Amino acid sequence: MTKPITGFSKLTKKEKIEWIATHYTQHPESTKEILFKYWNTDVQLQQLHDEFIENTISNFYLPLGVAPNFLINEKLLAIPMVIEESSVVAAASKAAKFWLDRGGFKTTILGTEKIGQVHFMYTGDFSILRDFFTDVYPKIITDSASLTKNMEKRGGGITNIELRDQTDKLDHYYQLHCTFETIDAMGANFINSCLEQFASTFKREAQNFEPFSKEEKNIEVVMSILSNYTPNCLVKAEVSCPVEELTLSNEISPKEFAEKMVRAIAIAKAEPHRAVTHNKGIMNGIDAVVLATGNDFRAIEAGVHAYASKDGRYTSLTHAKIENDVFTFWIEIPLALGTIGGLTNLHPLVKLAFEILQKPTAKELMQIVAVAGLAQNFGAVSSLVTTGIQEGHMKMHLLNILNQLGATEAEKKEIIRYFKTNTVTHSSVLEVYNRIKN
Ligand code: MEV
């Protein structure tokens, strides 16, 4: 068995590779070869990537694609997407093209509030704690002035700090529930720095607050951290058109299509198993743009799914209705995104993604990302209620299967031609491939 290692992070990159290849892989030489193959030949660029995280040994590529023809509030955009799933960019592009001829996407920002909390334990009387909070509030603001100065210049800063009694959830548990406006930054660093300062002022001043007993002075701050649940950092994106214009399927009429779409959304609203998959389809679009723009997709995922269960049951993030023969399809989703800070000014491809998107503000990015989610969901559900998804999905997956089989370019061409009019399954591809080979 491999022994634990100390000081791994101090080894050079090559030493790390040597160690991992020898101790954890069966073929160290080919392990090294593949890791080196993914190093960038531009030494500076590679160093930039090495320094994003600890213990980098190589790069992990994902495709960067572009979905063109997105008309968003009358502005025509091409959306960069980073994703490995074959059919996602194709589905987004198809939905964008479809809605381009029907007025495009309309979006509205419903809020931009970010949240952070100082969680603490206190065993004394709540009314004394309230008096202390009133006393300490101005000191908290003054002490964090150096941290908030630049953000205030940009129009943001702390918007509120509230003392919350949470003892109905956990004995002795209180919090400072703080809200922030972070303009074009996602704001995690700003918020966390502010919160740690609030906590430090809070603890220091508790020591000097006369009405507290000796024990009460020892307020225990457990932690200070932003919340990725941002229900008031919210964006709405919508498409609509007369039902008769929903000419998507040769098999069913526009009216039947519209009704099936509404029913499919109703099912996703009613039933959590379907809702999770339905929302996963939305996240195919959302995560792809979030990744391309260097934002934190884990934060977005966590916040979005919490929002999907805000009423006590996990449900659909999209909505659909038919009213006066008009079909409307929309999404309302929390997206705490940034267009400055973090990776956004560092990663060359992220910078390029922002250029392609015409240098959006954070609010504009929220709108673009929400549209990508809505388009993706429209694409997935419209396939599901008509042909099913496998037809399109397998067509897109065909190249993956051919690459796995090691097909040559000429073989690929011939097989793709064959499957233009035949159903793609793994076994049918294998059969045709073997026939051509022999
Ligand atoms: C696959 O990645 C996403 C779908 O399952 C979404 C959905 O079912 O709505 C097709």
PDB file of all heavy atoms in Angstrom, residues 290-312:
ATOM      1  N   VAL A 290     -21.729  30.129 -17.203  1.00  0.00           N
ATOM      2  CA  VAL A 290     -21.076  30.506 -15.945  1.00  0.00           C
ATOM      3  C   VAL A 290     -19.602  30.100 -15.996  1.00  0.00           C
ATOM      4  O   VAL A 290     -18.708  30.874 -15.631  1.00  0.00           O
ATOM      5  CB  VAL A 290     -21.811  29.860 -14.736  1.00  0.00           C
ATOM      6  CG1 VAL A 290     -21.027  30.029 -13.458  1.00  0.00           C
ATOM      7  CG2 VAL A 290     -23.191  30.474 -14.579  1.00  0.00           C
ATOM      8  N   LEU A 291     -19.332  28.885 -16.513  1.00  0.00           N
ATOM      9  CA  LEU A 291     -17.946  28.422 -16.644  1.00  0.00           C
ATOM     10  C   LEU A 291     -17.170  29.255 -17.659  1.00  0.00           C
ATOM     11  O   LEU A 291     -16.037  29.672 -17.389  1.00  0.00           O
ATOM     12  CB  LEU A 291     -17.939  26.963 -17.110  1.00  0.00           C
ATOM     13  CG  LEU A 291     -17.828  25.909 -16.027  1.00  0.00           C
ATOM     14  CD1 LEU A 291     -18.097  24.535 -16.597  1.00  0.00           C
ATOM     15  CD2 LEU A 291     -16.429  25.932 -15.399  1.00  0.00           C
ATOM     16  N   ALA A 292     -17.785  29.521 -18.802  1.00  0.00           N
ATOM     17  CA  ALA A 292     -17.094  30.288 -19.850  1.00  0.00           C
ATOM     18  C   ALA A 292     -16.740  31.684 -19.365  1.00  0.00           C
ATOM     19  O   ALA A 292     -15.766  32.276 -19.823  1.00  0.00           O
ATOM     20  CB  ALA A 292     -17.964  30.370 -21.102  1.00  0.00           C
ATOM     21  N   THR A 293     -17.527  32.210 -18.429  1.00  0.00           N
ATOM     22  CA  THR A 293     -17.267  33.571 -17.950  1.00  0.00           C
ATOM     23  C   THR A 293     -16.526  33.560 -16.602  1.00  0.00           C
ATOM     24  O   THR A 293     -16.512  34.564 -15.886  1.00  0.00           O
ATOM     25  CB  THR A 293     -18.582  34.376 -17.837  1.00  0.00           C
ATOM     26  OG1 THR A 293     -19.487  33.653 -17.000  1.00  0.00           O
ATOM     27  CG2 THR A 293     -19.217  34.609 -19.181  1.00  0.00           C
ATOM     28  N   GLY A 294     -15.945  32.405 -16.257  1.00  0.00           N
ATOM     29  CA  GLY A 294     -15.065  32.336 -15.085  1.00  0.00           C
ATOM     30  C   GLY A 294     -15.773  32.529 -13.765  1.00  0.00           C
ATOM     31  O   GLY A 294     -15.157  32.867 -12.756  1.00  0.00           O
ATOM     32  N   ASN A 295     -17.105  32.299 -13.749  1.00  0.00           N
ATOM     33  CA  ASN A 295     -17.821  32.434 -12.478  1.00  0.00           C
ATOM     34  C   ASN A 295     -17.877  31.099 -11.745  1.00  0.00           C
ATOM     35  O   ASN A 295     -17.493  30.060 -12.274  1.00  0.00           O
ATOM     36  CB  ASN A 295     -19.222  32.997 -12.744  1.00  0.00           C
ATOM     37  CG  ASN A 295     -19.218  34.511 -12.792  1.00  0.00           C
ATOM     38  OD1 ASN A 295     -19.289  35.175 -11.764  1.00  0.00           O
ATOM     39  ND2 ASN A 295     -19.101  35.072 -13.998  1.00  0.00           N
ATOM     40  N   ASP A 296     -18.341  31.139 -10.503  1.00  0.00           N
ATOM     41  CA  ASP A 296     -18.315  29.968  -9.627  1.00  0.00           C
ATOM     42  C   ASP A 296     -19.603  29.151  -9.824  1.00  0.00           C
ATOM     43  O   ASP A 296     -20.652  29.489  -9.273  1.00  0.00           O
ATOM     44  CB  ASP A 296     -18.192  30.496  -8.182  1.00  0.00           C
ATOM     45  CG  ASP A 296     -18.139  29.395  -7.147  1.00  0.00           C
ATOM     46  OD1 ASP A 296     -18.502  28.250  -7.473  1.00  0.00           O
ATOM     47  OD2 ASP A 296     -17.751  29.687  -6.002  1.00  0.00           O
ATOM     48  N   PHE A 297     -19.493  28.073 -10.626  1.00  0.00           N
ATOM     49  CA  PHE A 297     -20.716  27.323 -10.946  1.00  0.00           C
ATOM     50  C   PHE A 297     -21.244  26.553  -9.734  1.00  0.00           C
ATOM     51  O   PHE A 297     -22.435  26.267  -9.654  1.00  0.00           O
ATOM     52  CB  PHE A 297     -20.513  26.390 -12.155  1.00  0.00           C
ATOM     53  CG  PHE A 297     -19.521  25.279 -11.931  1.00  0.00           C
ATOM     54  CD1 PHE A 297     -19.937  24.042 -11.492  1.00  0.00           C
ATOM     55  CD2 PHE A 297     -18.179  25.478 -12.161  1.00  0.00           C
ATOM     56  CE1 PHE A 297     -19.028  23.015 -11.281  1.00  0.00           C
ATOM     57  CE2 PHE A 297     -17.262  24.463 -11.953  1.00  0.00           C
ATOM     58  CZ  PHE A 297     -17.684  23.231 -11.505  1.00  0.00           C
ATOM     59  N   ARG A 298     -20.381  26.238  -8.759  1.00  0.00           N
ATOM     60  CA  ARG A 298     -20.881  25.523  -7.570  1.00  0.00           C
ATOM     61  C   ARG A 298     -21.783  26.442  -6.749  1.00  0.00           C
ATOM     62  O   ARG A 298     -22.828  26.032  -6.229  1.00  0.00           O
ATOM     63  CB  ARG A 298     -19.728  25.040  -6.672  1.00  0.00           C
ATOM     64  CG  ARG A 298     -18.929  23.867  -7.212  1.00  0.00           C
ATOM     65  CD  ARG A 298     -17.830  24.315  -8.138  1.00  0.00           C
ATOM     66  NE  ARG A 298     -16.891  25.234  -7.529  1.00  0.00           N
ATOM     67  CZ  ARG A 298     -16.212  26.172  -8.203  1.00  0.00           C
ATOM     68  NH1 ARG A 298     -16.373  26.307  -9.502  1.00  0.00           N
ATOM     69  NH2 ARG A 298     -15.378  26.979  -7.590  1.00  0.00           N
ATOM     70  N   ALA A 299     -21.383  27.707  -6.652  1.00  0.00           N
ATOM     71  CA  ALA A 299     -22.202  28.682  -5.918  1.00  0.00           C
ATOM     72  C   ALA A 299     -23.547  28.858  -6.617  1.00  0.00           C
ATOM     73  O   ALA A 299     -24.600  28.890  -5.961  1.00  0.00           O
ATOM     74  CB  ALA A 299     -21.468  30.022  -5.857  1.00  0.00           C
ATOM     75  N   ILE A 300     -23.499  28.950  -7.934  1.00  0.00           N
ATOM     76  CA  ILE A 300     -24.736  29.139  -8.705  1.00  0.00           C
ATOM     77  C   ILE A 300     -25.637  27.917  -8.536  1.00  0.00           C
ATOM     78  O   ILE A 300     -26.844  28.039  -8.264  1.00  0.00           O
ATOM     79  CB  ILE A 300     -24.393  29.395 -10.197  1.00  0.00           C
ATOM     80  CG1 ILE A 300     -23.661  30.728 -10.344  1.00  0.00           C
ATOM     81  CG2 ILE A 300     -25.634  29.347 -11.071  1.00  0.00           C
ATOM     82  CD1 ILE A 300     -24.448  31.950  -9.927  1.00  0.00           C
ATOM     83  N   GLU A 301     -25.057  26.723  -8.677  1.00  0.00           N
ATOM     84  CA  GLU A 301     -25.832  25.488  -8.522  1.00  0.00           C
ATOM     85  C   GLU A 301     -26.513  25.434  -7.154  1.00  0.00           C
ATOM     86  O   GLU A 301     -27.714  25.171  -7.055  1.00  0.00           O
ATOM     87  CB  GLU A 301     -24.904  24.255  -8.667  1.00  0.00           C
ATOM     88  CG  GLU A 301     -24.513  23.922 -10.079  1.00  0.00           C
ATOM     89  CD  GLU A 301     -25.573  23.107 -10.820  1.00  0.00           C
ATOM     90  OE1 GLU A 301     -26.492  22.595 -10.170  1.00  0.00           O
ATOM     91  OE2 GLU A 301     -25.489  23.023 -12.042  1.00  0.00           O
ATOM     92  N   ALA A 302     -25.724  25.693  -6.110  1.00  0.00           N
ATOM     93  CA  ALA A 302     -26.268  25.589  -4.741  1.00  0.00           C
ATOM     94  C   ALA A 302     -27.432  26.572  -4.568  1.00  0.00           C
ATOM     95  O   ALA A 302     -28.502  26.202  -4.047  1.00  0.00           O
ATOM     96  CB  ALA A 302     -25.163  25.854  -3.724  1.00  0.00           C
ATOM     97  N   GLY A 303     -27.228  27.807  -5.013  1.00  0.00           N
ATOM     98  CA  GLY A 303     -28.255  28.841  -4.838  1.00  0.00           C
ATOM     99  C   GLY A 303     -29.509  28.560  -5.638  1.00  0.00           C
ATOM    100  O   GLY A 303     -30.627  28.762  -5.168  1.00  0.00           O
ATOM    101  N   VAL A 304     -29.296  28.074  -6.858  1.00  0.00           N
ATOM    102  CA  VAL A 304     -30.445  27.817  -7.741  1.00  0.00           C
ATOM    103  C   VAL A 304     -31.312  26.688  -7.177  1.00  0.00           C
ATOM    104  O   VAL A 304     -32.541  26.797  -7.136  1.00  0.00           O
ATOM    105  CB  VAL A 304     -29.934  27.473  -9.166  1.00  0.00           C
ATOM    106  CG1 VAL A 304     -31.027  26.801  -9.982  1.00  0.00           C
ATOM    107  CG2 VAL A 304     -29.447  28.730  -9.871  1.00  0.00           C
ATOM    108  N   HIS A 305     -30.671  25.608  -6.722  1.00  0.00           N
ATOM    109  CA  HIS A 305     -31.472  24.482  -6.236  1.00  0.00           C
ATOM    110  C   HIS A 305     -32.167  24.816  -4.908  1.00  0.00           C
ATOM    111  O   HIS A 305     -33.283  24.350  -4.666  1.00  0.00           O
ATOM    112  CB  HIS A 305     -30.625  23.215  -6.131  1.00  0.00           C
ATOM    113  CG  HIS A 305     -30.159  22.764  -7.486  1.00  0.00           C
ATOM    114  ND1 HIS A 305     -31.036  22.384  -8.472  1.00  0.00           N
ATOM    115  CD2 HIS A 305     -28.933  22.700  -8.046  1.00  0.00           C
ATOM    116  CE1 HIS A 305     -30.362  22.095  -9.579  1.00  0.00           C
ATOM    117  NE2 HIS A 305     -29.079  22.275  -9.341  1.00  0.00           N
ATOM    118  N   ALA A 306     -31.526  25.652  -4.096  1.00  0.00           N
ATOM    119  CA  ALA A 306     -32.195  26.100  -2.860  1.00  0.00           C
ATOM    120  C   ALA A 306     -33.437  26.917  -3.236  1.00  0.00           C
ATOM    121  O   ALA A 306     -34.504  26.766  -2.638  1.00  0.00           O
ATOM    122  CB  ALA A 306     -31.245  26.935  -2.014  1.00  0.00           C
ATOM    123  N   TYR A 307     -33.283  27.741  -4.274  1.00  0.00           N
ATOM    124  CA  TYR A 307     -34.413  28.576  -4.720  1.00  0.00           C
ATOM    125  C   TYR A 307     -35.549  27.703  -5.259  1.00  0.00           C
ATOM    126  O   TYR A 307     -36.725  27.991  -5.041  1.00  0.00           O
ATOM    127  CB  TYR A 307     -33.935  29.544  -5.803  1.00  0.00           C
ATOM    128  CG  TYR A 307     -34.951  30.586  -6.167  1.00  0.00           C
ATOM    129  CD1 TYR A 307     -35.220  31.663  -5.315  1.00  0.00           C
ATOM    130  CD2 TYR A 307     -35.666  30.514  -7.363  1.00  0.00           C
ATOM    131  CE1 TYR A 307     -36.157  32.629  -5.644  1.00  0.00           C
ATOM    132  CE2 TYR A 307     -36.610  31.473  -7.703  1.00  0.00           C
ATOM    133  CZ  TYR A 307     -36.845  32.521  -6.835  1.00  0.00           C
ATOM    134  OH  TYR A 307     -37.784  33.480  -7.167  1.00  0.00           O
ATOM    135  N   ALA A 308     -35.157  26.611  -5.927  1.00  0.00           N
ATOM    136  CA  ALA A 308     -36.171  25.702  -6.491  1.00  0.00           C
ATOM    137  C   ALA A 308     -36.980  25.020  -5.386  1.00  0.00           C
ATOM    138  O   ALA A 308     -38.042  24.471  -5.653  1.00  0.00           O
ATOM    139  CB  ALA A 308     -35.504  24.662  -7.383  1.00  0.00           C
ATOM    140  N   SER A 309     -36.471  25.036  -4.157  1.00  0.00           N
ATOM    141  CA  SER A 309     -37.237  24.412  -3.067  1.00  0.00           C
ATOM    142  C   SER A 309     -37.676  25.447  -2.025  1.00  0.00           C
ATOM    143  O   SER A 309     -38.013  25.091  -0.904  1.00  0.00           O
ATOM    144  CB  SER A 309     -36.445  23.279  -2.420  1.00  0.00           C
ATOM    145  OG  SER A 309     -35.083  23.447  -2.561  1.00  0.00           O
ATOM    146  N   LYS A 310     -37.710  26.705  -2.417  1.00  0.00           N
ATOM    147  CA  LYS A 310     -37.978  27.757  -1.423  1.00  0.00           C
ATOM    148  C   LYS A 310     -39.366  27.643  -0.795  1.00  0.00           C
ATOM    149  O   LYS A 310     -39.567  28.108   0.322  1.00  0.00           O
ATOM    150  CB  LYS A 310     -37.777  29.147  -2.036  1.00  0.00           C
ATOM    151  CG  LYS A 310     -38.802  29.567  -3.052  1.00  0.00           C
ATOM    152  CD  LYS A 310     -38.509  30.990  -3.510  1.00  0.00           C
ATOM    153  CE  LYS A 310     -39.556  31.602  -4.400  1.00  0.00           C
ATOM    154  NZ  LYS A 310     -40.281  30.766  -5.318  1.00  0.00           N
ATOM    155  N   ASP A 311     -40.326  27.007  -1.487  1.00  0.00           N
ATOM    156  CA  ASP A 311     -41.662  26.908  -0.896  1.00  0.00           C
ATOM    157  C   ASP A 311     -41.881  25.585  -0.174  1.00  0.00           C
ATOM    158  O   ASP A 311     -43.017  25.172   0.077  1.00  0.00           O
ATOM    159  CB  ASP A 311     -42.733  27.130  -1.977  1.00  0.00           C
ATOM    160  CG  ASP A 311     -42.614  28.530  -2.570  1.00  0.00           C
ATOM    161  OD1 ASP A 311     -42.317  29.476  -1.804  1.00  0.00           O
ATOM    162  OD2 ASP A 311     -42.775  28.682  -3.797  1.00  0.00           O
ATOM    163  N   GLY A 312     -40.781  24.884   0.122  1.00  0.00           N
ATOM    164  CA  GLY A 312     -40.885  23.660   0.922  1.00  0.00           C
ATOM    165  C   GLY A 312     -40.904  22.391   0.099  1.00  0.00           C
ATOM    166  O   GLY A 312     -40.912  21.289   0.654  1.00  0.00           O
TER     167      GLY A 312
END
